[in-house]
Amino acid sequence: MTMLLASDTLLYVFVKDSTDNDLSFSQKMAQADIDEGLYSRQLYVIDHDAMRRMGKADVLIAGMRGLGVEIAKNVILAGVRSVTIQDDGVVEWRDLSSQFYLKEADLGQNRALCSEKQLSSLNVYVRVSAWTKKLDEDFLSKFQVVVLTNSPLEEQLRVGAFCHSNNIKFIVADTRGLCGQLFCDFGESFEVRDTNGETPVSAMIGHISKDNPGIVTCTDEESHEFTDGMFVNFSGIQGMTELNSYGPIEIKVRDIYSFSICNTSNFSEYVKGGVATEVKQTEILSFVTIRDPELVEMTDYGKIQRNLSLHLAFQALHRFTQKYSRVPHPRSQADAEVLVTITKELCTDAKFDELDEDAVRQLSLVASGDLAPVNAFIGGLAAQEVVKACSGKFTPLRQWLYFDALECLPQENDEVLSEDACAPRDSRYDGQIAVFGSAFQDKLKKQSYFLVGAGAIGCELLKNFALIGLGAGEGGNITVTDMDSIERSNLNRQFLFHSKDIGRLKSEVAAESVKEMNPYMNITAHQNRVCPETEEVYTHSFYSNLDGVAAALDNVDARVYLDQCCVRNKKSMLEGGTLGSKGHTLVVVPHLTESYGPSTSGGQKAIPICTLKNFPHRIEHTLQWARDQFEGLFKQAAENVNNFLSDPTFVDRTVARGDVEAVEILEGVYRSLGEEWPQNWADSVSWARRQWETLYNNPIKQLLHCFPPDQVTSSGLPFWMGAKRCPHPLTFDSNNTTHMDFIVAAGNLYGQIYGITGSRNRADIQSILQGVKVPEFTLKSSVKIAVTDQELKEENEERKEEVKLEILKEKLSKLKLKDQSFRMQPQEFEKDDDSNFHMDYIVAASNLRAENYDIPTADRHKSKLIAGRIIPAIATTTAAIAGLMCLELYKLVQGHQKITSYRNAYINLATQYFVLSQPCVAPTFTVSDEKSSLRKDGYACSFLFSTKDILFKSLHYFYTQDEFQRTRLSILVS
C-alpha cells in the first residue's frame, strides 16, 4: 500500500504478516570480559559478540521525562559502554506521572541531574553521566547512537541531518497521551549480522540424490523448519563427503521433508548420515533521513488508516506547538478543531485523502497527557532499537512506527470528560488526569489488586502501578506474592533490585522500592506460592475483596491454576509473558472474553526414553540424559538412602511401586550404603573413574554387540540410519580435558553427597587415577535392548523380579550403620553457581555422550540454556509487555463492556512484528432460557435455574462439556 506524501516523495506502508561447537581456548578467554553471572539471561537473546559490540558503544538519550528515563533504564540494563542523559528542563508535577526516578522534592530541579544517581546504580559496568546544556554538533559527535525524546520537530531535523551525515545512529521517540511514535535512521549502509536472533535451524539427513539440483530428504522423525532462500552447511555426511566442505549452499524448499540444493550429479554416492544446519547471512540496510521518504510499520492491523493519519497528525502537533507555544489543552474541543485543520493542510500537500479526523481530534484531546504504560511500551521498543544500533543484532525498524491505545478512552455511554475534569491540579497524577480525568484517578486509587510474581514482569508492573496510582488511596491495596529470593542474574532485568538486595525476598524488596517511587502506595508483600496448598490463604473471601488479578508468572501450570481461581471467583485477569525478544499479553474479562483455559500441551515434546537411553541424535538428547544422570546419581539416590534410614515403611512403600522399579531403587540404596560408600577423597575419584567406564565404554560395546554397525532390519534396510546414529565406545585418557572435566566434577559431587571434601587439583587427581583398577567388562549375549518405548514397556511388564526383590529386602534388613545419625546430602541442581560442579558435570557428561554418537558438542553457555531450562530474557521486551498489560488495566478499571475495546498482543521486538488483536468472545450456552459464559474445555458455570421454582445461585464448577451437560440434566430432572 502506498500514498503520496509530497510531489516528489512516497510513503510506503510496510506490512509483514546450528548447533554450536565447543569454543577454542582463545574464544573462551575472549568471553572473560562479559559478566555472564549478571547477563546470563540476556546472553541467550544477544550473543557474546553482540554484547561485546554493545560494550563499545556510547549512547546519548535526550529528554528525561517518563519516556526518556524508560529508554535509559532499559539501555543501561542491556550493557552499553556509557549512557549520557541530557535535559535542560526542570521537574514539573506532570513528570511524576511517568518518571519513576523523580520525587515531589525534586520539583523545580533539573530532570537529568535528579535521575543520574539512580540510573547509575542499575549497572556497575555502564558509565552514566548527565548533561544539562543544549545539544551542539561537537557534543553529538562523541556518540555512536543518539536518541531524542519529546523533542521539537526543528531539533529532530537538525540533529537527524547531522547524525546521518556523520554515521551516527539516530532514533526519535515521542509519546502524546495514548499515542506514540518511533523513528530510526541507522545510516546509508547498516550491517545486520543476524536478522531474527533465532537459533539456526538444523535437520538430520535421510538421503541426498545425485541430480541437478540435488534433492535432500530429511529423516521422517519430524519435519524440517527451513524456508526458501536459507543457506545451509552440511556435516557428518558419509559417502557424498564433498558436501561436508562445500560451504554455505542456498536451498529451495520442496515440502516439509525435503529441499533442493546445488548440482550433485558429479558427487559421490550418498551412503548415510549427515546434518544440514542453517548459516545466518548478513544483510546491508540503507536508511534515509527524517526529511526523506518514510516507511511506516504497523502495530495494529485494524488501524492501518489511523496509523497513517497519526503520521501527519504528529507533524501537525509540532506546528501547533510552534505557533501557540503550547500543546493543545486537555479535552479542548477548540484546540482539537485547530489541529484537524492543520492536519488537513498537510494532507493536501501530501495528496492524502483518507484522513481519520476522529483520530486527530482524539490525539489533540489527550496530547498533553503523559502515561506510564504508553512510555513503557514505546520506551521498550526504542531501547531495543538502541540495542540493534549498537550490536548489529536483529532487524531495525524501517523507519516510522505509530501506536495508539485510544480505545482506552471512556466508551460512548460513559460520562463525557470536560476540560475542568482533566485540568492540572498540581498532583503527581496530572499527566494521567489530563487523559482520563480526576474521577477516574480517584477510582484507580481505590482499586484492590493481586499481583502474582515479582520477577521481571512483576517489577515492571509494580513500577507502572505506582506511577498510575493503582491502590494508592483510601481503601486501595496491592497484594504481591513471590516466594523466590533475589539472585545476581535477576539484576539485569528486574530493575527494582540491586546488588545489596541479593538473598532477600523479591516481594519484600519490590514493595519497598515502589513505596519509594510513590509513598502513597498501599502494598502488602507475601511469600506464598499460589496453588492448591495455599487455598486457606487465598480463599473465596480474599478474591471477593479484589478488583482484579495480574499474573507475572514463568510457567504454564501456574497460569492455568490462577486462571481457574479467577474464573471461579469471577475476577478479571491480566496475563503476560516473554521469551527473549518475544512477548504476549492476554486480558480475561468475566462473561466477555475467553479465559486462559487449561493447558493443552506440555510445551516441549517429551524425548522418548529409548532415544535418551540408546539412540540420541541431537545435543538436546545428550543434555537431557546428562541431567537425568545428575538427578539419579547425586539427588535421588541420596534421597532414597535418607528415606530408608528415617522411614521404617520405606521398603514396603517402594515394593508397592512394582517389582522392576523397586529392585532398581533398593539396589541403589544397598550399593550406596555398602560397596560404593567412599571413605575418603581417593575413593570418590575411583568411583568417578569406574562410572566413566559404565557410561561411555561398556554400554556402547554392549549396544554394538546387540546391533552391529552392519545390522540390517527385517526389510533389508540398515539399522543404523536416519535418526539412529551408530555409536563408538570411548577410551579413557587422563590427558583429555573433557575426560578429566568429568572425573573432577563427578568425583567432587559424589564426595559431597557423603560429606567428603573434594579437590580441583588435576595433578593430584591424575595421581589417584593411576592406582584405580577398572573391572573388565564382559559382553552378554542374553541382553535384549529395546528399540522403542513400547518394547521397553513390554519388557518391564514381563520381567519377574520377585526373587531378587526378596534377597534385597533381606540384605537391607541386616545393614548396620556405625553412625545412626548419618544422612547423605542430596544435590539440588543449581545452574547459576559456577563453583558447585553441577554445570561442570552436565557439560562434560553431555559432550562425552555426544562424542559417543558423533553429535556436535555444545559449549557451557548453550548447555546451561538447555539443561537448565533457562528462559531467555531482556529488559526491553519485559517493559513493553508490562506497558501493554497496564493499558488493558485502564479499560478494566473503567469497566469497558465492549469486547472491541480490549486487545491481546503478540510482539517480537527482534523483527518489529506486532499483532494486537481483539480477544475471543467467551462461548455461551443456554440453561432454562438464560445464557452464561463458558470456557473452552473447562466450563465456569455461574447461572440461575428457575425450573420447578428451584433457585441455584453462583454455582462454580469446572467440567468438560459432556460432564456439564450430564450434570445439567441431573439437576433439571431432580
Side-chain angles (χ1 to χ4, degrees):
M1 177 180 184
T2 63
M3 72 172 182
L4 198 63
L5 269 184
S7 58
D8 57 348
T9 62
L10 287 173
L11 169 66
Y12 296 87
V13 180
F14 186 64
V15 182
K16 291 192 299 286
D17 196 18
S18 137
T19 304
D20 294 334
N21 290 322
D22 277 330
L23 299 177
S24 66
F25 177 77
S26 60
Q27 286 174 310
K28 290 178 180 177
M29 291 302 293
Q31 288 186 181
D33 57 335
I34 298 175
D35 187 341
E36 293 193 0
L38 177 64
Y39 294 116
S40 65
R41 304 307 185 262
Q42 181 175 292
L43 280 167
Y44 295 113
V45 186
I46 303 172
D47 58 49
H48 287 82
D49 287 340
M51 278 291 298
R52 205 166 285 112
R53 289 190 291 272
M54 284 175 55
K56 298 176 181 177
D58 300 309
V59 179
L60 168 66
I61 300 172
M64 276 295 109
R65 294 186 186 274
L67 178 58
V69 78
E70 184 70 47
I71 299 170
K73 177 255 293 179
N74 295 330
V75 171
I76 292 167
L77 290 173
V80 296
R81 178 165 61 190
S82 73
V83 170
T84 299
I85 53 173
Q86 182 273 343
D87 200 317
D88 58 0
V90 297
V91 180
E92 303 169 0
W93 274 109
R94 76 185 189 100
D95 295 331
L96 274 61
S97 296
S98 65
Q99 221 283 27
F100 43 86
Y101 285 148
L102 297 180
K103 299 177 173 59
E104 293 181 17
D106 298 325
L107 290 168
Q109 301 181 51
N110 180 270
R111 283 187 288 261
L113 293 176
C114 290
S115 307
E116 180 183 9
K117 181 178 179 181
Q118 287 167 295
L119 285 170
S120 298
S121 69
L122 291 174
N123 192 334
V124 296
Y125 296 107
V126 179
R127 298 195 307 272
V128 179
S129 58
W131 182 262
T132 60
K133 301 177 183 178
K134 298 289 185 182
L135 300 177
D136 58 44
E137 293 184 354
D138 288 340
F139 182 66
L140 291 170
S141 63
K142 299 177 182 179
F143 304 96
Q144 286 75 53
V145 183
V146 171
V147 184
L148 300 185
T149 68
N150 307 115
S151 56
L153 182 61
E154 298 77 13
E155 185 174 59
Q156 295 174 10
L157 296 173
R158 176 179 64 85
V159 174
F162 175 80
C163 289
H164 189 85
S165 61
N166 288 274
N167 198 30
I168 299 171
K169 283 66 177 177
F170 177 60
I171 298 170
V172 172
D174 197 2
T175 58
R176 304 286 178 161
L178 287 163
C179 303
Q181 71 172 175
L182 188 60
F183 171 81
C184 292
D185 172 10
F186 291 177
E188 296 178 3
S189 180
F190 179 75
E191 183 181 40
V192 180
R193 293 173 170 85
D194 183 351
T195 58
N196 59 20
E198 299 293 337
T199 302
V201 177
S202 65
M204 294 189 64
I205 299 167
H207 184 263
I208 305 175
S209 69
K210 288 185 65 174
D211 209 339
N212 184 18
I215 305 301
V216 179
T217 305
C218 303
T219 61
D220 58 3
E221 293 289 312
E222 54 188 31
S223 59
H224 68 70
E225 298 177 8
F226 296 119
T227 57
D228 280 345
M230 276 187 177
F231 285 76
V232 301
N233 272 340
F234 291 95
S235 60
I237 295 174
Q238 297 181 36
M240 197 179 284
T241 55
E242 295 91 340
L243 285 175
N244 291 332
S245 56
Y246 195 90
I249 302 172
E250 187 173 3
I251 69 168
K252 185 174 182 180
V253 173
R254 298 176 74 246
D255 55 44
I256 61 173
Y257 293 107
S258 65
F259 55 88
S260 61
I261 53 172
C262 59
N263 184 356
T264 61
S265 57
N266 294 321
F267 291 172
S268 305
E269 287 285 347
Y270 174 81
V271 177
K272 65 176 181 178
V275 176
T277 305
E278 177 193 3
V279 179
K280 294 292 184 83
Q281 301 294 301
T282 60
E283 289 188 16
I284 303 298
L285 302 180
S286 179
F287 294 76
V288 296
T289 69
I290 196 168
R291 291 181 181 272
D292 294 322
E294 302 94 352
L295 295 168
V296 175
E297 189 80 54
M298 295 296 109
T299 55
D300 187 337
Y301 291 104
K303 302 177 179 177
I304 291 178
Q305 289 305 120
R306 181 181 291 180
N307 285 332
L308 300 177
S309 297
L310 287 174
H311 181 72
L312 297 171
F314 265 80
Q315 294 182 39
L317 201 54
H318 284 296
R319 289 193 181 184
F320 183 103
T321 304
Q322 186 178 36
K323 182 176 181 179
Y324 297 103
S325 300
R326 62 174 177 84
V327 296
H329 288 308
R331 309 307 299 183
S332 169
Q333 298 296 331
D335 285 353
E337 293 308 318
V338 172
L339 189 67
V340 170
T341 300
I342 297 173
T343 309
K344 284 181 176 179
E345 294 171 0
L346 291 173
C347 287
T348 301
D349 295 339
K351 297 182 175 156
F352 176 53
D353 57 3
E354 299 182 24
L355 180 67
D356 184 343
E357 293 187 21
D358 188 53
V360 178
R361 289 188 182 90
Q362 288 181 314
L363 171 63
S364 178
L365 298 178
V366 302
S368 61
D370 192 9
L371 301 177
V374 178
N375 287 332
F377 179 68
I378 297 296
L381 270 58
Q384 187 68 50
E385 296 306 308
V386 175
V387 170
K388 295 173 186 178
C390 297
S391 68
K393 183 96 172 183
F394 307 135
T395 301
L397 168 65
R398 303 184 65 199
Q399 289 187 241
W400 284 100
L401 176 144
Y402 286 90
F403 170 80
D404 80 84
L406 293 171
E407 69 276 359
C408 291
L409 291 171
Q411 295 181 322
E412 292 86 347
N413 297 330
D414 296 336
E415 183 179 347
V416 177
L417 292 172
S418 65
E419 291 187 49
D420 289 341
C422 298
R425 287 160 167 70
D426 289 345
S427 158
R428 66 180 300 115
Y429 307 114
D430 273 355
Q432 189 164 253
I433 290 172
V435 176
F436 295 108
S438 57
F440 176 70
Q441 188 60 55
D442 293 338
K443 192 172 184 180
L444 273 173
K445 292 179 184 179
K446 297 175 182 178
Q447 294 291 298
S448 180
Y449 255 77
F450 185 30
L451 172 60
V452 185
I457 293 179
C459 284
E460 293 289 339
L461 286 174
L462 283 172
K463 174 256 294 180
N464 292 339
F465 290 173
L467 292 170
I468 70 177
L470 188 74
E474 185 177 352
N477 184 68
I478 305 295
T479 301
V480 56
T481 186
D482 194 310
M483 63 185 299
D484 289 341
S485 298
I486 298 167
E487 300 174 356
R488 191 161 182 270
S489 63
N490 300 147
L491 306 184
N492 172 239
R493 61 205 182 281
Q494 300 174 22
F495 83 108
L496 296 182
F497 310 141
H498 299 85
S499 297
K500 61 183 176 61
D501 301 316
I502 292 175
R504 295 187 62 197
L505 291 164
K506 286 184 177 182
S507 59
E508 290 183 355
V509 176
E512 293 171 5
S513 297
V514 295
K515 283 282 285 186
E516 290 182 12
M517 291 180 182
N518 184 348
Y520 305 103
M521 285 288 287
N522 301 310
I523 185 165
T524 306
H526 290 184
Q527 294 79 47
N528 304 314
R529 187 190 301 276
V530 179
C531 59
E533 289 72 27
T534 56
E535 288 183 356
E536 291 184 359
V537 178
Y538 305 117
T539 62
H540 176 71
S541 175
F542 172 82
Y543 282 100
S544 297
N545 292 321
L546 296 176
D547 292 294
V549 175
L553 295 158
D554 61 0
N555 68 88
V556 172
D557 291 341
R559 289 183 175 107
V560 169
Y561 175 77
L562 185 60
D563 174 63
Q564 292 173 353
C565 294
C566 290
V567 173
R568 278 200 302 266
N569 293 282
K570 293 190 286 188
K571 296 298 175 182
S572 61
M573 184 177 80
L574 294 165
E575 192 273 325
T578 67
L579 180 66
S581 62
K582 304 181 186 74
H584 79 272
T585 66
L586 174 78
V587 57
V588 178
V589 187
H591 307 299
L592 185 65
T593 71
E594 194 174 54
S595 69
Y596 188 89
S599 176
T600 55
S601 97
Q604 295 181 342
K605 293 180 180 177
I607 303 171
I609 296 172
C610 286
T611 299
L612 292 175
K613 203 169 183 181
N614 295 307
F615 308 113
H617 55 268
R618 301 176 64 91
I619 196 65
E620 288 84 358
H621 301 160
T622 65
L623 282 163
Q624 183 59 57
W625 175 87
R627 179 70 188 271
D628 291 345
Q629 291 292 322
F630 179 96
E631 296 293 325
L633 294 170
F634 310 120
K635 181 175 183 285
Q636 293 167 2
E639 289 176 343
N640 289 337
V641 167
N642 290 347
N643 286 332
F644 169 75
L645 295 175
S646 59
D647 183 2
T649 68
F650 172 75
V651 173
D652 291 336
R653 287 192 294 104
T654 303
V655 170
R657 298 167 71 169
D659 290 358
V660 175
E661 188 176 357
V663 166
E664 183 180 341
I665 293 173
L666 297 181
E667 272 187 340
V669 171
Y670 184 71
R671 287 197 305 270
S672 297
L673 294 175
E675 60 187 20
E676 293 186 356
W677 189 335
Q679 301 303 307
N680 49 47
W681 169 233
D683 286 351
S684 297
V685 174
S686 297
W687 175 87
R689 174 64 185 88
R690 294 191 301 273
Q691 189 69 17
W692 193 97
E693 217 54 39
T694 63
L695 293 177
Y696 307 111
N697 191 332
N698 301 347
I700 304 300
K701 289 179 177 178
Q702 184 65 56
L703 181 61
L704 292 174
H705 178 71
C706 295
F707 302 108
D710 57 358
Q711 176 90 3
V712 295
T713 65
S714 58
S715 57
L717 296 173
F719 177 84
W720 295 107
M721 67 176 294
K724 290 190 177 68
R725 304 176 73 102
C726 186
H728 63 275
L730 303 183
T731 302
F732 183 76
D733 179 2
S734 62
N735 293 315
N736 183 298
T737 301
T738 309
H739 293 199
M740 283 301 294
D741 287 346
F742 177 87
I743 298 297
V744 172
N748 274 279
L749 287 168
Y750 198 66
Q752 286 174 18
I753 62 176
Y754 285 95
I756 295 171
T757 302
S759 169
R760 291 182 182 270
N761 190 315
R762 297 201 172 206
D764 289 349
I765 293 172
Q766 286 176 322
S767 177
I768 295 171
L769 289 172
Q770 292 176 4
V772 176
K773 292 182 179 180
V774 178
E776 287 201 21
F777 175 68
T778 304
L779 293 169
K780 299 181 178 68
S781 299
S782 60
V783 170
K784 182 181 179 182
I785 296 177
V787 177
T788 66
D789 282 8
Q790 183 60 35
E791 286 184 19
L792 182 63
K793 181 181 178 182
E794 291 171 359
E795 284 181 18
N796 287 338
E797 290 173 351
E798 293 172 3
R799 282 171 60 185
K800 305 299 180 184
E801 301 282 9
E802 293 93 338
V803 176
K804 185 183 285 189
L805 191 56
E806 290 303 318
I807 294 172
L808 275 170
K809 289 167 65 177
E810 184 177 355
K811 286 181 177 180
L812 288 170
S813 67
K814 294 179 180 179
L815 274 178
K816 302 295 181 185
L817 300 184
K818 294 180 181 178
D819 182 2
Q820 294 297 320
S821 64
F822 170 79
R823 294 293 183 273
M824 295 181 73
Q825 300 171 25
Q827 298 295 298
E828 287 287 344
F829 180 69
E830 173 47 63
K831 58 187 175 292
D832 290 321
D833 182 354
D834 288 338
S835 67
N836 63 9
F837 296 101
H838 294 191
M839 279 309 304
D840 295 345
Y841 178 85
I842 296 294
V843 175
S846 170
N847 284 341
L848 289 169
R849 178 80 163 171
E851 188 180 343
N852 274 139
Y853 287 86
D854 294 316
I855 299 170
T857 56
D859 62 18
R860 186 185 186 93
H861 183 65
K862 182 173 181 178
S863 299
K864 186 175 177 180
L865 170 69
I866 299 169
R869 301 180 180 96
I870 288 175
I871 300 174
I874 188 169
T876 51
T877 315
T878 305
I881 287 298
L884 291 175
M885 291 173 70
C886 287
L887 287 173
E888 299 308 302
L889 175 64
Y890 282 148
K891 304 167 190 177
L892 291 172
V893 174
Q894 290 179 86
H896 282 200
Q897 287 302 310
K898 288 186 177 180
I899 198 168
T900 52
S901 292
Y902 292 97
R903 296 289 184 274
N904 291 339
Y906 175 79
I907 65 174
N908 185 349
L909 301 191
T911 57
Q912 292 299 336
Y913 180 78
F914 305 95
V915 176
L916 275 69
S917 61
Q918 181 179 304
C920 294
V921 178
T924 60
F925 60 92
T926 302
V927 178
S928 297
D929 300 322
E930 294 197 25
K931 287 187 175 181
S932 282
S933 299
L934 56 74
R935 301 176 34 162
K936 208 181 218 178
D937 300 325
Y939 292 78
C941 311
S942 178
F943 46 78
L944 295 177
F945 283 107
S946 56
T947 304
K948 295 185 179 180
D949 297 322
I950 302 175
L951 180 64
F952 294 84
K953 290 187 178 180
S954 301
L955 296 179
H956 300 284
Y957 298 109
F958 275 92
Y959 291 137
T960 65
Q961 191 168 14
D962 287 343
E963 288 171 335
F964 170 75
Q965 295 294 347
R966 288 197 299 272
T967 305
R968 172 188 173 224
L969 289 173
S970 66
I971 293 175
L972 289 175
V973 169
S974 62

